[in-house]
C-alpha cells in the first residue's frame, strides 16, 4: 500500500468548484478577482470565496488561493488587505511566485500556508530549499523537470517541505509560463493572468519589401504550428509520481468547463486510489480523459522531451455535456437541468461521482408538471427522465459531439 498523494483540482468558479468537490478532489485551487494567473476564468468575489471555503470545509476539502501574478507597485499596495481577508475566511494556502508577496503573506496571513507557484520556475533542490528557508511549506515545481530530477529534489530537501507537480493539462512553450510574447503582440501580460496564447497561432514569414506576400514557416511535413505544445497526461503513471515522493498531483484547467473539472477530477481520483492500493487502473477511468476537451497528449517532461504538435492547435472535442442531474430517487427517476438539446430516441452516456460510464437510450422525457416531451431544447430548463439506476446529484448526461438530435 503506497501513501496517497493529494488530488488538487481546478475551480474557475462556483459551478466548477462544486464539480471538483463532488468528483473526488482532496483540495481545490481558485482565485479572487485579482492577483491570479487566469484573469479570464470566472473567479470568485469575496462573498463567493467565503461560500467556497464553507462548502469545502463541509466536505473536508482544502482551499488554495492563487496570488501568483508578478504584481506591479500599484498592485502590491492592495495586497495586504487582500491577504488579511484570506487569513480571516480561513483558506488553507496561498499560491505565490513573488518574494515580496511571500513576505507580505507571512505578515498579513499568518494562519495560511505559503505555496510557491510554478511561475517561480523551481528546477533544483537549492532553489526549493531557499524558498523553504523563507517560510514556504510547499513548492510547485516547474513543468520542465524529469522524474529523476524531481526524485533528487525530494531527496535533498527537508521532508516537511511538500512537493507539488502538474500531472494533467495544458503546457506552455515558454518556461513554466514566463512568456513576453503575448504582452508584445497583444498588450496582454501573461505574467499578470492575461495570456492571449499567441504560441497557438499559425505563423508565416513576410519580407519587408514584399508586403502582403506570406511565406509559410514549415516544420516537417508542411506543418506550421511551430510553438504549439501538447497537453500533459500522466494518468497512466500516477504510481511513478508517488514513488518519486510527490505530495500533490495538480490538474490544470481553471479556465476550462465544469464538465472538464468533473471528468478529469473523477478520472484521477480513481487513478490515485488504484495506485495507492497497488492495483492497475480500470480502463474505463483511463478512457475518461479522452472524453474531455484536450490537445494531443504527452507525458510532459517526466520521461524526456514531449515534442510539439505542429499540425494544428485545435482542441479535440469529441463529447459534449447535454444535462446535469439535480436529484434522483432509488428507481432512477431524475430531475435534470439542460445544457444542450436532445430528444426521445437519442443515444447518450451517463457518468457521475463514482458512477461508471454507461450508455442509455432516451425512452421518455417529461416537463416539470409530468407532461410528455419529444425534445428538450431550452438551456437551463428543468425536466424529468428515467435513468438506468440511482445516481447522485451533479451526475452528467453526455453524447458524441458530432451527433445531433433527430
Amino acid at each position: 500500500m503506497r501513501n496517497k498523494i493529494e488530488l488538487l483540482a481546478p475551480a474557475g468558479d462556483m459551478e466548477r468548484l462544486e464539480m471538483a468537490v463532488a468528483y473526488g478532489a482532496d483540495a481545490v485551487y481558485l482565485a479572487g478577482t485579482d492577483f491570479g494567473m487566469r484573469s479570464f476564468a470566472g473567479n470568485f468575489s469575496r462573498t463567493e470565496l467565503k461560500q467556497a471555503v464553507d462548502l469545502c470545509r463541509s466536505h473536508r476539502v482544502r482551499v488554495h488561493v492563487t496570488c501568483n501574478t508578478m504584481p506591479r507597485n500599484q498592485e502590491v499596495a492592495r495586497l495586504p488587505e487582500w491577504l488579511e481577508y484570506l487569513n480571516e475566511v480561513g483558506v488553507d494556502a496561498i499560491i505565490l511566485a513573488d518574494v515580496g508577496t511571500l513576505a507580505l503573506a507571512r505578515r498579513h496571513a499568518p494562519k495560511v500556508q505559503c505555496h510557491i507557484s510554478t511561475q517561480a520556475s523551481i528546477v533544483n533542490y537549492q532553489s526549493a530549499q531557499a524558498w523553504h528557508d523563507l517560510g514556504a511549506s510547499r513548492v510547485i515545481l516547474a513543468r520542465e523537470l524529469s522524474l529523476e530530477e524531481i526524485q533528487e529534489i525530494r531527496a535533498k530537501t527537508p521532508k516537511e517541505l511538500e512537493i507539488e507537480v502538474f500531472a494533467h493539462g495544458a503546457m506552455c512553450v515558454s518556461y513554466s509560463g514566463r512568456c513576453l510574447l503575448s504582452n508584445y503582440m497583444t498588450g496582454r501580460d501573461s505574467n499578470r493572468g492575461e495570456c492571449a496564447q499567441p504560441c497557438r497561432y499559425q505563423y508565416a514569414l513576410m519580407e519587408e519589401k514584399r508586403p502582403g506576400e506570406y511565406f509559410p514557416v514549415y516544420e516537417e511535413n508542411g506543418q506550421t504550428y511551430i510553438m504549439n505544445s501538447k497537453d500533459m497526461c500522466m494518468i497512466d503513471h500516477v504510481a511513478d509520481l508517488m514513488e518519486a515522493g510527490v505530495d500533490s498531483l495538480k490538474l490544470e484547467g481553471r479556465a476550462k468547463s465544469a464538465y472538464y473539472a468533473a471528468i478529469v477530477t473523477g478520472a484521477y481520483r480513481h487513478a490515485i486510489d488504484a495506485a495507492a492500493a497497488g492495483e492497475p487502473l480500470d480502463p474505463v477511468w483511463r478512457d475518461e480523459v479522452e472524453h474531455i476537451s484536450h490537445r494531443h497528449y504527452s507525458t510532459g517532461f517526466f520521461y524526456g522531451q514531449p515534442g510539439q504538435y505542429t499540425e494544428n492547435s485545435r482542441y479535440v472535442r469529441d463529447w459534449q455535456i447535454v444535462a446535469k442531474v439535480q436529484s434522483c430517487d432509488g428507481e432512477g427517476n431524475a430531475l435534470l437541468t439542460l445544457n444542450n438539446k436532445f430528444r426521445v430516441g437519442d443515444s447518450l452516456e451517463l457518468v457521475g461521482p463514482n458512477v461508471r460510464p454507461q450508455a442509455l437510450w432516451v425512452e421518455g422525457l417529461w416537463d416539470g408538471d409530468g407532461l410528455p416531451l419529444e425534445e428538450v431544447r431550452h438551456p437551463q430548463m428543468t425536466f424529468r427522465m428515467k435513468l438506468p439506476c440511482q445516481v447522485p446529484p451533479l451526475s452528467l448526461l453526455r453524447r458524441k459531439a458530432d451527433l445531433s438530435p433527430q
Side-chain angles (χ1 to χ4, degrees), residues 153-229:
I153 291 172
R154 175 70 286 168
K156 294 183 177 179
T157 52
K159 291 183 179 179
E160 61 270 20
L161 176 64
E162 296 177 345
I163 290 178
E164 177 181 311
V165 299
F166 278 91
H168 191 96
M171 294 194 295
C172 179
V173 70
S174 295
Y175 219 92
S176 286
R178 291 195 153 193
C179 177
L180 296 176
L181 190 60
S182 176
N183 204 343
Y184 177 78
M185 295 183 68
T186 69
R188 286 166 48 177
D189 190 345
S190 60
N191 293 299
R192 297 163 80 192
E194 299 177 348
C195 183
Q197 296 193 332
C199 56
R200 309 294 183 181
Y201 299 171
Q202 182 176 16
Y203 286 92
L205 177 69
M206 186 178 70
E207 198 272 325
E208 65 176 343
K209 294 181 180 179
R210 300 180 184 181
E213 292 187 35
Y214 297 99
F215 302 90
V217 181
Y218 286 128
E219 277 279 332
E220 58 189 44
N221 303 320
Q223 298 168 350
T224 63
Y225 290 82
I226 57 176
M227 293 187 288
N228 182 48
S229 295

Side-chain angles (χ1 to χ4, degrees), residues 47-66:
T47 299
E48 290 170 334
L49 181 58
K50 178 64 168 61
Q51 293 170 349
V53 171
D54 291 343
L55 172 66
C56 289
R57 283 285 174 274
S58 68
H59 290 82
R60 297 184 179 180
V61 172
R62 294 178 289 279
V63 179
H64 304 177
V65 175
T66 62

Side-chain angles (χ1 to χ4, degrees), residues 39-186:
S39 294
F40 305 109
N43 296 324
F44 290 76
S45 67
R46 292 196 174 205
T47 299
E48 290 170 334
L49 181 58
K50 178 64 168 61
Q51 293 170 349
V53 171
D54 291 343
L55 172 66
C56 289
R57 283 285 174 274
S58 68
H59 290 82
R60 297 184 179 180
V61 172
R62 294 178 289 279
V63 179
H64 304 177
V65 175
T66 62
C67 294
N68 57 341
T69 58
M70 300 299 180
R72 303 295 176 88
N73 289 332
Q74 66 272 21
E75 295 165 326
V76 164
R78 303 199 314 271
L79 261 173
E81 193 267 341
W82 173 240
L83 294 168
E84 289 169 1
Y85 181 74
L86 298 181
N87 190 70
E88 175 188 335
V89 298
V91 305
D92 295 280
I94 297 168
I95 303 171
L96 55 93
D98 175 73
V99 68
T101 304
L102 173 60
L104 289 172
R106 296 199 68 196
R107 187 182 314 147
H108 296 280
K111 299 177 184 177
V112 183
Q113 292 183 341
C114 292
H115 295 178
I116 306 306
S117 171
T118 190
Q119 299 300 120
S121 298
I122 297 170
V123 295
N124 62 70
Y125 57 84
Q126 183 58 52
S127 177
Q129 179 69 61
W131 282 108
H132 179 59
D133 293 343
L134 291 171
S137 63
R138 178 183 293 190
V139 290
I140 305 164
L141 299 181
R143 288 175 174 88
E144 294 77 20
L145 291 174
S146 69
L147 203 60
E148 288 78 10
E149 289 173 308
I150 293 169
Q151 290 170 333
E152 185 174 4
I153 291 172
R154 175 70 286 168
K156 294 183 177 179
T157 52
K159 291 183 179 179
E160 61 270 20
L161 176 64
E162 296 177 345
I163 290 178
E164 177 181 311
V165 299
F166 278 91
H168 191 96
M171 294 194 295
C172 179
V173 70
S174 295
Y175 219 92
S176 286
R178 291 195 153 193
C179 177
L180 296 176
L181 190 60
S182 176
N183 204 343
Y184 177 78
M185 295 183 68
T186 69

Side-chain angles (χ1 to χ4, degrees), residues 353-374:
N354 209 29
V355 175
R356 289 176 66 85
Q358 55 186 297
L360 63 89
W361 289 94
V362 181
E363 297 179 354
L365 297 166
W366 297 268
D367 67 14
D369 297 321
L371 298 176
L373 300 168
E374 281 299 310

Side-chain angles (χ1 to χ4, degrees), residues 231-396:
D231 278 6
M232 180 193 298
C233 178
M234 284 291 287
I235 196 166
D236 296 315
H237 307 282
V238 170
D240 287 353
L241 296 174
M242 288 182 173
E243 290 170 2
V246 170
D247 296 288
S248 179
L249 183 156
K250 188 171 194 171
L251 309 175
E252 184 274 340
R254 278 192 294 128
K256 295 179 180 175
S257 68
Y259 172 67
Y260 172 97
I263 299 304
V264 74
T265 301
Y268 276 87
R269 174 75 276 151
H270 285 89
I272 288 175
D273 292 347
E279 299 172 353
L281 177 61
D282 186 328
V284 73
W285 302 116
R286 168 59 180 85
D287 190 52
E288 282 297 279
V289 297
E290 304 296 340
H291 285 70
I292 55 177
S293 176
H294 65 279
R295 295 186 174 93
H296 291 268
Y297 284 135
S298 73
T299 53
F301 289 83
F302 289 105
Y303 305 102
Q305 292 286 336
Q308 305 293 95
Y309 185 77
T310 57
E311 185 175 340
N312 61 64
S313 61
R314 294 190 297 272
Y315 282 98
V316 179
R317 290 189 174 99
D318 291 337
W319 292 80
Q320 66 177 187
I321 180 176
V322 296
K324 180 168 63 178
V325 175
Q326 291 186 13
S327 62
C328 182
D329 67 19
E331 297 180 351
N333 299 304
L335 178 68
L336 304 97
T337 304
L338 186 70
N339 289 72
N340 290 286
K341 64 182 180 179
F342 65 96
R343 62 184 298 121
V344 172
D346 282 351
S347 175
L348 305 178
E349 275 193 1
L350 171 66
V351 65
N354 209 29
V355 175
R356 289 176 66 85
Q358 55 186 297
L360 63 89
W361 289 94
V362 181
E363 297 179 354
L365 297 166
W366 297 268
D367 67 14
D369 297 321
L371 298 176
L373 300 168
E374 281 299 310
E375 182 181 57
V376 283
R377 58 181 303 114
H378 303 295
Q380 300 307 308
M381 71 175 286
T382 56
F383 64 98
R384 297 183 182 276
M385 68 177 289
K386 176 85 168 180
L387 300 178
C389 59
Q390 183 178 17
V391 296
L394 302 184
S395 294
L396 302 169

